[in-house]
Amino acid sequence: MADLQTLKIVFQPEGRTVYVLPETTIIEAAAQAEIILETPCGGKGHCGKCRVKIASGCPKPTEHDTKVFAADELAAGWRLACQTKLQKNAVIEVPQDVRFFGQKILVDGIARKVDLDPSFRKIAVRVPQATLDDQTCDLDRVRQVLKAALPKPVVGLPFIRTLPFVLGTGDQCTLLLKNDELAAVEKDDTTSVCYGVAVDIGTTSVVGTLMDLTAGTEIATASRMNPQVSRGDDVISRLTHITENAGGLSELHGLIVGCINDIIAELCETAEIAGDDIYEVCTVGNTTMNHIFLNVDPRGIGQSPFAAVVREGVNITAAEMGIRINRAGNVYASPNIAGFVGGDTVGVILATGMMHGSGVRLAIDIGTNGELVLAAQDRVVSCSTAAGPAFEGARIRQGMRAAQGAIDKVIFNDSVEVTTIGNAPARGICGTGLIDSVAEMVRTGIVDYTGRILDPAEFDAPDFLKQRIVSRDGSNGFVLVPADKAYGNRAVSLTQRDVREVQLAKGAIRAGIEILLKEMGLSSGDIDEVYLAGAFGNFIRRSMAKRLGLLPGIASEKIKFVGNAAGTGAKMLLAARKFREEAEIISRNVRYVELGGRPDFQEQFMMSMLFDAE
Ligand code: FES
């Protein structure tokens, strides 16, 4: 093995560090650090919008740099991220205004992009005490002080019950409003304390983001493996678990509620706040995750005609859900589109704004499933492909999540060159490494168009590649990192079965894209923009994905990484009520295309599994 020479790139102000290959563009390195830059000109070096300041390790200016920047700016280290290829370790400052929406939310708060308008808000008031001369009841005295801000508040018994504990003092207090409803009253002025948590409930992982709802800023993020994984690694196996086990639903429901409570506890610890300071939890997830979270029987999703129980967004008290935040708090679960296209896809559509733009836009959210959305003019269609969890490391013999020691890049040059996350000894392979490996094996003829790993005698290639082919249990495998270079002296290899898993996954996604295009009467040449979403989509190398046939032959500059757009959508839903209305509109108007049982999908799927399908 030859370890690839890697460069250490630190992005400021976050201080996020990534390791990349020499010649990687800054824009790609930033994407790897989950920092997505605006590229209005499609990365052609014309618009000057992707400017970054390189504090150390600055390469020479390109021709485009010299046209865009003045001499003093060049001397200060300003460069175009789309044009600049990294040659040395570098520290790069990324200004907030060049970041795509996701990072504006992630890093800088959303007030500039989104008018902050959460469901919960607070008003500090002083409620006069009752006297012998004025025996107006507590509630009416509250109504009087609130009159100007909210003439006709909705009042429920839980609020009334809190009044005697606070109002008797006659001191300043804070009224908590949930939309137009008086939700609680708190002692003193607590208006500076109002937090919410946006949760992306993935089939495999759950990510929570703590947001300060008074400022629209992101405070902390925490994630966990979805504990339901122990009862099945994909949606279908979870549904099967519920079908086959009495109490299966409440078991899975309890697991996800516990997981979210753990995430909330960690967020509170990190931010040094109390659970009581959090007033709302907003979730997105696929329809099955949504139903299980809400403790709604999802079994119908698993049987023809695959209908969901509920499409619209659901509000429920946190107390009723067992979510440990303020007792007046609310849980909002986003709407779904169909049984197999859920709130996470609604989040992607919200975050990318693809319902509003012009041209033909395709969003691909690759998680345990591959959800696809195609928008053109005023029509939007979607589908879900059972891509399987291969790209998340599951069902791959040495597959793993994108964590320390995962092989994340592979190139065959004069040797088999790999990089691992954290530059640690290789322990396994994650999704991007998997795509790279198979793409390189196809390019060099190790894997033929049917996906078979050939015997060394069957193809022409340098010896260093042929020597990596090993025969085991009647089929071939390929050694990426030999035992003496790998963690725990355990070689990291790809098996024939691993390659088949990749074929199934890429075949399903690619076939889904083709069917959506067909539904709209379009072809891949009509696509103006592709949004690659999801933790995996964010790191994928476009050239490798195209070589593999996962993506159609779309020009790379048309492909944008949009990060965890579903999570971004959850944050938008948390931050502004208008997005909940928009989410409902999306949920009602995006047409779902059922792929199962369509002969043309089956035909396309068979074709798309082949490696020379381009
Ligand atoms: S100059 Fe337009 S994206 Fe870089």
Side-chain angles (χ1 to χ4, degrees):
M1 177 183 88
D3 287 330
L4 280 174
Q5 186 211 343
T6 55
L7 307 175
K8 180 182 177 186
I9 310 297
V10 181
F11 286 97
Q12 301 290 22
E14 297 90 335
R16 277 190 206 150
T17 300
V18 292
Y19 293 88
V20 302
L21 302 174
E23 298 292 305
T24 301
T25 64
I26 292 178
I27 221 154
E28 285 172 334
Q32 194 170 321
E34 291 194 61
I35 295 172
I36 314 301
L37 303 184
E38 292 275 11
T39 53
C41 72
K44 294 198 176 71
H46 301 149
C47 70
K49 285 283 167 29
C50 62
R51 68 193 190 289
V52 294
K53 193 174 177 192
I54 306 178
S56 69
C58 190
K60 285 191 182 139
T62 65
E63 202 184 315
H64 290 285
D65 288 321
T66 56
K67 285 185 187 148
V68 169
F69 297 110
D72 58 336
E73 291 176 314
L74 291 172
W78 286 99
R79 297 288 185 275
L80 294 175
C82 69
Q83 299 298 311
T84 304
K85 294 183 175 169
L86 293 157
Q87 315 290 354
K88 301 182 198 163
N89 295 340
V91 176
I92 300 172
E93 292 166 24
V94 183
Q96 299 300 344
D97 61 337
V98 306
R99 295 163 184 250
F100 198 55
F101 61 86
Q103 294 306 310
K104 279 177 183 159
I105 288 176
L106 285 174
V107 179
D108 192 35
I110 54 177
R112 289 175 315 173
K113 200 80 183 178
V114 174
D115 292 331
L116 193 63
D117 178 32
S119 295
F120 282 86
R121 62 201 160 105
K122 288 179 165 183
I123 302 176
V125 292
R126 231 175 246 285
V127 181
Q129 283 188 287
T131 64
L132 280 176
D133 294 332
D134 180 4
Q135 293 183 343
T136 304
C137 74
D138 290 350
L139 181 59
D140 283 345
R141 279 180 287 123
V142 167
R143 284 196 178 105
Q144 276 163 13
V145 296
L146 194 60
K147 208 168 177 180
L150 187 62
K152 285 189 182 164
V154 177
V155 180
L157 189 56
F159 171 76
I160 295 170
R161 283 179 176 150
T162 62
L163 282 176
F165 300 101
V166 178
L167 284 200
T169 64
D171 291 332
Q172 188 160 49
C173 61
T174 299
L175 296 172
L176 176 72
L177 298 174
K178 179 190 163 197
N179 300 315
D180 291 340
E181 181 186 343
L182 275 165
V185 58
E186 296 172 348
K187 282 182 182 165
D188 304 322
D189 181 350
T190 63
T191 49
S192 63
V193 178
C194 190
Y195 295 90
V197 177
V199 183
D200 178 10
I201 308 176
T203 311
T204 308
S205 57
V206 184
V207 182
T209 304
L210 179 70
M211 294 190 72
D212 181 342
L213 297 178
T214 67
T217 47
E218 180 186 318
I219 307 296
T221 299
S223 60
R224 293 276 188 289
M225 176 80 87
N226 187 332
Q228 298 169 352
V229 164
S230 60
R231 310 297 190 275
D233 62 5
D234 59 15
V235 159
I236 298 298
S237 51
R238 306 273 166 89
L239 292 169
T240 305
H241 179 82
I242 291 169
T243 305
E244 293 178 351
N245 295 278
L249 172 59
S250 56
E251 179 197 7
L252 296 189
H253 167 73
L255 286 173
I256 189 60
V257 168
C259 173
I260 291 173
N261 279 331
D262 286 349
I263 286 173
I264 290 169
E266 184 183 326
L267 291 171
C268 287
E269 198 178 323
T270 307
E272 298 182 344
I273 63 167
D276 268 358
D277 298 337
I278 299 173
Y279 293 90
E280 187 154 52
V281 169
C282 190
T283 67
V284 298
N286 66 52
T287 310
T288 300
M289 291 304 107
N290 163 283
H291 280 41
I292 295 174
F293 174 59
L294 293 172
N295 208 6
V296 172
D297 188 342
R299 282 177 292 177
I301 296 170
Q303 302 157 9
S304 182
F306 314 111
V309 177
V310 58
R311 178 195 52 74
E312 68 223 46
V314 171
N315 283 288
I316 182 169
T317 66
E320 204 174 331
M321 280 296 290
I323 294 293
R324 292 200 283 270
I325 57 173
N326 189 290
R327 61 187 171 281
N330 185 60
V331 172
Y332 171 77
S334 78
N336 303 300
I337 291 171
F340 281 105
V341 179
D344 46 357
T345 303
V346 171
V348 171
I349 297 170
L350 260 183
T352 56
M354 63 188 295
M355 290 263 285
H356 303 297
S358 59
V360 178
R361 282 138 289 135
L362 172 69
I364 306 173
D365 189 2
I366 306 175
T368 311
N369 274 344
E371 277 99 12
L372 310 171
V373 183
L374 184 69
Q377 292 149 355
D378 53 358
R379 289 192 300 151
V380 188
V381 290
S382 69
C383 69
S384 174
T385 60
F391 295 139
E392 295 193 325
R395 296 190 196 158
I396 300 298
R397 195 173 67 100
Q398 287 178 278
M400 63 182 284
R401 308 276 298 153
Q404 185 91 347
I407 296 173
D408 63 340
K409 285 194 187 72
V410 180
I411 297 178
F412 298 171
N413 282 325
D414 295 334
S415 60
V416 175
E417 301 175 354
V418 305
T419 65
T420 59
I421 293 176
N423 265 358
R427 309 166 71 108
I429 185 161
C430 67
T432 52
L434 190 61
I435 286 190
D436 279 9
S437 309
V438 179
E440 286 292 70
M441 287 163 77
V442 171
R443 178 179 68 84
T444 51
I446 298 168
V447 165
D448 73 5
Y449 77 101
T450 69
R452 187 169 70 89
I453 301 177
L454 300 180
D455 289 329
E458 290 183 281
F459 67 102
D460 271 339
D463 283 347
F464 78 88
L465 287 175
K466 293 192 172 201
Q467 285 157 4
R468 297 291 183 118
I469 295 173
V470 289
S471 182
R472 197 179 290 133
D473 302 330
S475 63
N476 290 334
F478 186 84
V479 178
L480 290 167
V481 178
D484 61 339
K485 299 278 175 54
Y487 179 85
N489 285 324
R490 184 173 177 240
V492 180
S493 312
L494 279 188
T495 65
Q496 179 63 69
R497 211 173 142 201
D498 295 340
V499 176
R500 295 286 180 225
E501 288 288 342
V502 171
Q503 276 185 286
L504 289 171
K506 81 104 180 176
I509 291 171
R510 180 60 189 278
I513 294 171
E514 297 300 329
I515 294 295
L516 288 189
L517 286 166
K518 186 176 167 189
E519 281 290 308
M520 294 280 229
L522 300 168
S523 70
S524 57
D526 296 318
I527 298 174
D528 294 300
E529 220 159 35
V530 176
Y531 304 113
L532 272 183
F536 166 67
N538 205 24
F539 299 121
I540 202 171
R541 283 203 282 160
R542 290 167 286 202
S543 55
M544 291 295 191
K546 284 194 285 181
R547 183 180 299 157
L548 201 63
L550 178 65
L551 299 176
I554 298 162
S556 289
E557 61 266 23
K558 291 183 175 179
I559 302 170
K560 276 188 172 177
F561 299 107
V562 293
N564 177 10
T568 301
K571 287 179 241 175
M572 293 167 76
L573 291 167
L574 184 63
R577 290 179 286 180
K578 72 172 184 180
F579 291 121
R580 299 191 188 183
E581 289 163 26
E582 195 174 326
E584 292 293 342
I585 292 168
I586 290 169
S587 157
R588 282 195 300 273
N589 291 296
V590 173
R591 185 165 68 82
Y592 173 68
V593 177
E594 173 60 47
L595 299 177
R598 276 181 74 134
D600 56 348
F601 174 73
Q602 292 306 330
E603 205 174 297
Q604 185 68 52
F605 179 50
M606 298 308 288
M607 277 168 53
S608 298
M609 283 212 299
L610 300 177
F611 285 119
D612 66 348
E614 299 311 292

